[in-house]
Amino acid sequence: MCAEYATFGLAPAMRAGGVLHDGGFQVHRDFVDFIVDGRPLLFQLSDLDAVSPLASDVPPAIFTAQVRSLLLESPAPLPGGRYVVYGCPECEDLACGAVTAVIRGDGEDVIWRDFAWQTDGHADLELNGYHGIGPFRFRGAEYRTALSALLNGSAPDPRRRVLLIGARVAVLAKLAAALRTIGVGADIAHDADGVPAEELRGYGAVAFGHAAGERERAAVRRAFDRAGVPVAHVDGLAPIVPLLVAQIEHALDRSPAGRRRLTGLTATDDGADIEVTSTCRVTLTAYRLDRLSRPHAREIFDGVLEAGRHRVVLDAKAVRGRSFVVARTTGSVLVTAVNH
């Protein structure tokens, strides 16, 4: 069984939060994903909205306990030698469902096998097993080196704070409130003059409102450059809060481009072209401003797409005038303006 070796690694990942078109929201989560044979293990689970137990927003003691558990330094948390590999991003309750696997040592090697969907203390492999995933045999030294690095101060720095720059305070206040709702901190300012470097280092992105002038934008960029902070810059497309949240979520994604599920999005009156790297569920939402600058939203696609490039026909009424399209899947979000 699993005679060939698989490579094991770790990489930062996120579950993109967002304000949804129907008024709901989903929480932003940063975590460390498992990279097996060069690709995120989560990508083999095509329609799963989940995070690994190595989340950056849990207390340090819990994070350390999770790492040591995966290092097999403590008993398995579930019967049958099973460990949670991916869990609910909202509450992390096993009752919501989790992907579990048997993890055990085999000499110097470590084996992950018998992956299953589990909602209680018993895993029914025949009914809920992921029969196409694993088993994986990892070289022990590679496995332990990757996980042990997380105990040496190498855990991901979430930097889930955003600095909002602009003149339209009402819009920025609504945006800040929406971001805080999904777990992303937000501060509003006219500029970054006089802000200490250590404070600037706490931001992962700077978002400029439409009314922010080029002089103000350049001054903010210089402030971050002087502080040596490689922050992402977001130019707001329109004063539509869910759209701006999606732009900021994309900017906060620090995962390598090759390990993202959504890698391309363009849109015209005729349709949207989407590129995905693995089979996944994708939703498309159109946002537009009418002649009175009132925002409108409509979901225009919700379905599973296989890896590759796809074209989705758009409803002409949903994208007339000044309009935009947001594409979402597990861990990724992209935004584009519609070219008329």
Side-chain angles (χ1 to χ4, degrees):
M1 181 187 70
C2 75
E4 294 186 2
Y5 284 103
T7 62
F8 180 87
L10 301 169
M14 79 171 189
R15 186 263 196 156
V19 177
L20 307 180
H21 75 284
D22 60 1
F25 66 90
Q26 60 184 35
V27 175
H28 177 110
R29 298 293 303 280
D30 290 289
F31 64 99
V32 178
D33 201 3
F34 308 111
I35 308 300
V36 178
D37 285 336
R39 288 183 60 78
L41 181 59
L42 187 58
F43 282 18
Q44 296 194 40
L45 306 164
S46 61
D47 194 20
L48 183 66
D49 182 15
V51 300
S52 84
L54 305 177
S56 62
D57 55 353
V58 300
I62 295 178
F63 186 91
T64 298
Q66 295 285 10
V67 174
R68 294 200 180 281
S69 178
L70 292 171
L71 285 168
L72 306 181
E73 295 179 2
S74 58
L78 297 173
R82 304 192 73 82
Y83 295 74
V84 173
V85 179
Y86 295 108
C88 174
E90 300 286 347
C91 67
E92 302 176 56
D93 189 338
L94 183 62
C96 290
V99 178
T100 67
V102 173
I103 301 179
R104 65 177 180 85
D106 184 18
E108 288 297 313
D109 299 339
V110 177
I111 295 175
W112 288 24
R113 61 176 175 82
D114 298 338
F115 289 81
W117 178 255
Q118 192 168 343
T119 56
D120 54 34
H122 173 68
D124 188 333
L125 289 178
E126 183 175 349
L127 182 64
N128 297 316
Y130 288 99
H131 303 293
I133 301 179
F136 302 114
R137 177 182 290 272
F138 305 117
R139 291 180 173 84
E142 179 183 57
Y143 180 87
R144 285 183 280 274
T145 296
L147 286 168
S148 296
L150 298 178
L151 302 176
N152 301 325
S154 300
D157 173 16
R159 288 207 293 158
R160 292 191 311 276
R161 295 195 67 79
V162 180
L163 182 61
L164 307 178
I165 305 290
R168 301 182 65 175
V169 177
V171 174
L172 295 182
K174 291 179 182 179
L175 176 58
L179 289 168
R180 291 166 188 153
T181 297
I182 67 172
V184 176
D187 299 309
I188 301 172
H190 291 293
D191 54 51
D193 291 343
V195 179
E198 57 269 22
E199 291 187 26
L200 293 180
R201 293 190 185 99
Y203 294 106
V206 177
F208 299 103
H210 189 69
E214 186 52 43
R215 180 177 297 178
E216 291 85 353
R217 297 172 190 238
V220 171
R221 293 189 180 99
R222 285 196 300 270
F224 277 92
D225 288 342
R226 286 195 300 268
V229 181
V231 69
H233 299 279
V234 178
D235 292 317
L237 289 173
I240 303 173
V241 170
L243 178 72
L244 295 172
V245 169
Q247 283 190 265
I248 290 170
E249 281 292 283
H250 173 67
L252 290 173
D253 189 353
R254 298 186 302 279
S255 61
R259 290 177 181 165
R260 300 182 188 183
R261 276 181 159 157
L262 277 175
T263 55
L265 174 66
T266 58
T268 65
D269 292 330
D270 299 328
D273 291 307
I274 314 160
E275 190 167 354
V276 297
T277 59
S278 65
T279 300
C280 57
R281 180 185 176 188
V282 176
T283 62
L284 292 181
T285 305
Y287 295 93
R288 69 179 181 88
L289 292 172
D290 63 19
R291 295 178 182 178
L292 299 177
S293 295
R294 295 173 300 190
H296 300 267
R298 182 185 299 181
E299 185 176 283
I300 51 180
F301 178 79
D302 184 350
V304 175
L305 300 178
E306 296 183 353
R309 192 170 182 85
H310 304 267
R311 186 166 183 80
V312 175
V313 177
L314 300 180
D315 183 341
K317 294 182 180 179
V319 295
R320 67 178 182 271
R322 190 180 176 195
S323 53
F324 313 88
V325 173
V326 174
R328 287 186 175 278
T329 188
T330 303
S332 298
V333 57
L334 288 178
V335 182
T336 187
V338 177
N339 293 317
H340 297 288

